[in-house]
Amino acid sequence: MNRLLLPSLLLAFAGPTWAAMVTQAVPYEIDGKPFEGTLVYDDAVKTPRPGLLMVPNWMGVTTAAADQAKGIAGQRYVIFIADMYGKGVRPTKPEEARAAATAVRSDRPLMRKRAQAGVETLKAQGAKVPLDLASLGAIGFCFGGGSVLELARSGAQLKGFVSFHGNLDTPNPADARNIRAPVLVLHGADDPAVPKTQVDAFIAEMTAAKADWQLVSYGGAVHSFTEPSANVPGRNEYNPKVAARAYQAMNDLFDEVFTGAR
């Protein structure tokens, strides 16, 4: 079994598996306000590797997000988890997360600015860790998936964008013409948070823009299918089989686009 493809299963293993994994808090500023993300990488790897911006779910920068990033990173990627709320905003329950996420979702220019600040902070880590600056992408989960799609619509100069069970709506569908790299949407076919009308609008948006896009719809999967803690049947529910397939699809896309970048 390839450990890079099953991040959630890695959580079951003890310390030696991650003996070289580093999680490091990284402070930065946006418009003079403090933010703090997390850098995740394997410091046993000394050669430059691709970098991924990771926008987490609506709970923001958490230990769970760092654990998820460890499993994804392995020896393959350097990951920077973006702070979309600000250093002083750390939701501890869904009501707080909903309020924080809604404040950002209701201001798409702000969402794009904060996601792009995460990209710039990731790039800056190339002075500290072996990072291939020609091979950078973005991934996001739930709220983070929608954030990554807005980053793509902004025209961000990355090699690929991947959304896991993310929102697909946008107030500015014409902005899809700015997309400069492949977009991969990994979607639960039965996700009540992303109804068919939203999926159809996204398909129409991408088609009109002539973007390079894929949407993989996983039968039987609902929202949060990559989240081991998700346990609301029929709404937010972890699906390890679908999660493994989705991570494989992500790696396949980045293998393709990063190989072309080198």
Side-chain angles (χ1 to χ4, degrees):
M1 182 180 296
N2 186 340
R3 72 184 183 92
L4 294 173
L5 303 182
L6 298 174
S8 59
L9 296 185
L10 291 179
L11 303 181
F13 292 97
T17 302
W18 287 350
M21 295 302 294
V22 173
T23 58
Q24 178 182 339
V26 179
Y28 59 108
E29 290 188 354
I30 304 175
D31 295 334
K33 297 180 180 179
F35 288 72
E36 187 172 272
T38 302
L39 185 67
V40 177
Y41 65 100
D42 185 338
D43 69 356
V45 180
K46 303 304 180 184
T47 55
R49 78 212 88 158
L52 299 180
L53 173 75
M54 173 175 156
V55 184
N57 66 23
W58 69 355
M59 296 304 293
V61 180
T62 62
T63 299
D67 286 342
Q68 187 176 37
K70 287 178 184 178
I72 296 169
Q75 295 185 334
R76 183 181 293 226
Y77 307 113
V78 172
I79 294 181
F80 178 68
I81 305 171
D83 179 2
M84 295 294 287
Y85 301 149
K87 186 175 180 180
V89 182
R90 291 293 184 265
T92 59
K93 51 189 177 183
E95 294 79 9
E96 295 172 353
R98 182 178 294 108
T102 299
V104 177
R105 275 181 51 80
S106 64
D107 187 342
R108 297 305 172 97
L110 177 68
M111 175 183 275
R112 294 178 180 191
K113 174 180 277 192
R114 290 184 177 179
Q116 184 60 43
V119 172
E120 298 307 318
T121 305
L122 169 63
K123 290 179 180 178
Q125 305 315 301
K128 307 171 187 177
V129 301
L131 180 61
D132 181 358
L133 292 174
S135 299
L136 301 178
I139 63 175
F141 299 84
C142 300
F143 159 79
S147 299
V148 162
L149 292 179
E150 284 298 320
L151 182 64
R153 294 177 180 113
S154 75
Q157 300 271 6
L158 299 175
K159 296 297 182 181
F161 304 87
V162 181
S163 168
F164 293 83
H165 41 81
N167 300 99
L168 307 179
D169 62 306
T170 181
N172 303 296
D175 286 354
R177 294 174 297 184
N178 299 323
I179 294 174
R180 299 171 180 267
V183 170
L184 172 62
V185 169
L186 303 166
H187 170 67
D190 299 327
D191 186 346
V194 185
K196 186 176 184 298
T197 53
Q198 195 175 125
V199 175
D200 290 345
F202 175 79
I203 291 172
E205 173 195 356
M206 294 294 114
T207 301
K210 295 182 170 56
D212 182 349
W213 65 280
Q214 302 174 69
L215 187 148
V216 182
S217 188
Y218 295 105
V222 293
H223 206 58
S224 304
F225 60 74
T226 66
E227 308 285 348
S229 63
N231 189 27
V232 181
R235 182 164 183 83
N236 303 296
E237 193 170 0
Y238 178 50
N239 188 319
K241 181 183 291 186
V242 170
R245 291 173 179 171
Y247 287 124
Q248 176 70 69
M250 175 200 73
N251 282 331
D252 287 346
L253 175 69
F254 287 134
D255 283 349
E256 174 191 335
V257 298
F258 291 155
T259 298
R262 293 170 191 158

